[in-house]
Amino acid sequence: MVVETEKCRSDSTSRTRLGSLSRSALRRRLIPISNLAPGLSVAILVALAAQFISDHYGAPVMLMALLFGMVLNFLSEDGPCRDGISFASSSLLRLGVALLGFRVSLGMVAELGWSVVALVVIAVILTICSGIILARFFGHNWRFGVLSGGAVAICGASAAVAIAAVLPKDERSDEQLVFTVASVTILSTVAMILYPVLATFLELGARDTSVFIGVSIHDVAQVVGAGFSVSPEVGETATLVKLMRVAMLAPVLIAIALLTRNRGETDGDAGQRPPLLPWFFVCFLLASGIASLEILPFVISELAGTLSKWALVVAIAAVGLKTSIGKIASVGRGAALLVLSETLLLGVGVLFVVWSL
């Protein structure tokens, strides 16, 4: 009886310990989730404010999200908002990139024609390569060259955040991302105003103007604005050309993942080599494949696009929250000259090809 009693006590004690361990493990899982709420709420509020300014005053939403976030940078330091802001700037960013695949389909290629496709592919490759080469000239590493060159070559801010998610991290990654998003957005807005005037001055035809605008301007919104400021026909074709550039995001991300892995580059945060195909990029490819099959209802595709847009805006707001104005200034004049040089090389090169053919 004594043995059985001791055994029952032992079993009861074990169950109690297991129960307490389970509860403590559960608390460890729940506490970080609850800690995300303050910082995530701040990032969402910043994104909403940026969208409000964009809707009512025409300012670029990504740029506004960055600037508003940087003003509130103190919230990302030690305090209740830190974990949520970090989550939004990383995991939410990757989710936005994954959903971005629903905007890309193989049907775009057939509609454009192979000559335009070839021009887009060559322009993207040469712009990124020039970014890598010029980065050294202006005193920056190859990562910043890939980041800025990819943003200029593909789709501005969206490409910048996607490429930043694949590139191995270092101590200046956040500052370089913020600088790239801000600079390409500003230059894209300037190009939206100047390029239609330049095309009219050079007396380019509707198709040539569409190709020039679609291949040269960074962000989708600015391409739409520039194209439709000329005519509805130019606007529609320029947007299609621009989406072809967006489609180049997939092979560029694959190339970056392969090259960084082969070079043995490590992630500065994790201290290990990046995965060959990150989960968010696999989701991007699957989403692109589904979009190509055209099996999703239009409402769901639009919803996925909207979710992608908001995830990216909130993520950029969080990146801004993590970045101080002083650190942005430390990126230096060379960074500004690098992005400006890439933009001019792309614009002049495409204009020369279009004008001479």
Side-chain angles (χ1 to χ4, degrees):
M1 286 291 292
V2 174
V3 174
E4 290 181 359
T5 302
E6 291 296 329
K7 183 178 180 182
C8 290
R9 288 177 180 174
S10 176
D11 291 343
S12 176
T13 303
S14 299
R15 285 193 297 270
T16 303
R17 287 177 178 174
L18 286 173
S20 63
L21 286 173
S22 299
R23 284 193 295 273
S24 63
L26 182 61
R27 282 196 295 269
R28 283 197 300 271
R29 287 175 177 269
L30 291 177
I31 288 174
I33 295 174
S34 64
N35 283 349
L36 298 180
L40 192 56
S41 299
V42 170
I44 291 172
L45 286 173
V46 171
L48 288 171
Q51 188 62 56
F52 177 84
I53 296 296
S54 177
D55 290 341
H56 290 79
Y57 300 99
V61 64
M62 291 288 195
L63 182 60
M64 292 297 101
L66 273 179
L67 295 178
F68 291 166
M70 289 166 63
V71 170
L72 300 173
N73 167 254
F74 65 93
L75 293 174
S76 67
E77 298 171 0
D78 292 336
C81 295
R82 183 178 60 182
D83 291 340
I85 291 172
S86 179
F87 171 81
S89 67
S90 57
S91 298
L92 201 59
L93 183 149
R94 289 165 170 80
L95 175 62
V97 173
L99 293 173
L100 194 64
F102 286 104
R103 295 172 56 188
V104 178
S105 69
L106 296 176
M108 300 173 188
V109 177
E111 293 185 41
L112 286 175
W114 289 108
S115 60
V116 177
V117 172
L119 176 60
V120 168
V121 172
I122 293 171
V124 168
I125 293 173
L126 291 180
T127 303
I128 295 175
C129 289
S130 69
I132 296 172
I133 295 169
L134 290 172
R136 288 187 175 274
F137 179 79
F138 288 114
H140 290 273
N141 59 28
W142 68 270
R143 298 181 190 186
F144 187 47
V146 171
L147 178 66
S148 59
V152 169
I154 301 172
C155 53
S158 298
V161 295
I163 292 171
V166 175
L167 281 173
K169 300 290 186 294
D170 59 27
E171 66 278 2
R172 305 196 71 185
S173 294
D174 286 340
E175 290 78 34
Q176 289 176 343
L177 173 59
V178 171
F179 183 89
T180 301
V181 171
S183 57
V184 297
T185 303
I186 292 170
L187 289 172
S188 187
T189 303
V190 172
M192 178 183 66
I193 299 169
L194 294 182
Y195 285 7
V197 176
L198 182 59
T200 302
F201 176 76
L202 295 175
E203 298 181 349
L204 297 179
R207 181 173 175 80
D208 289 344
T209 301
S210 302
V211 173
F212 170 54
I213 289 174
V215 181
S216 300
I217 298 179
H218 311 327
D219 288 317
V220 176
Q222 277 79 355
V223 169
V224 173
F228 280 95
S229 70
V230 178
S231 71
E233 177 190 356
V234 170
E236 292 171 3
T237 307
T239 302
L240 189 58
V241 174
K242 177 61 186 175
L243 291 177
M244 176 59 201
R245 284 170 69 193
V246 176
M248 286 294 295
L249 186 60
V252 166
L253 291 179
I254 290 177
I256 293 171
L258 289 172
L259 289 174
T260 53
R261 193 175 178 83
N262 290 336
R263 285 170 59 99
E265 296 287 342
T266 59
D267 191 318
D269 296 332
Q272 59 186 8
R273 294 172 71 184
L276 179 59
L277 288 178
W279 68 265
F280 66 92
F281 183 59
V282 174
C283 293
F284 176 92
L285 292 177
L286 290 174
S288 179
I290 293 172
S292 300
L293 294 174
E294 299 182 354
I295 58 177
L296 282 182
F298 177 77
V299 175
I300 296 190
S301 297
E302 285 293 301
L303 177 62
T306 301
L307 289 175
S308 172
K309 171 197 166 184
W310 277 106
L312 291 176
V313 174
V314 174
I316 286 295
V319 171
L321 285 162
K322 290 176 62 178
T323 308
S324 69
I325 297 175
K327 289 182 178 179
I328 287 297
S330 70
V331 176
R333 185 177 60 181
L337 293 174
L338 172 60
V339 179
L340 179 60
S341 298
E342 292 164 346
T343 299
L344 290 175
L345 284 173
L346 178 62
V348 172
V350 172
L351 182 60
F352 175 78
V353 172
V354 169
W355 196 27
S356 61
L357 293 179

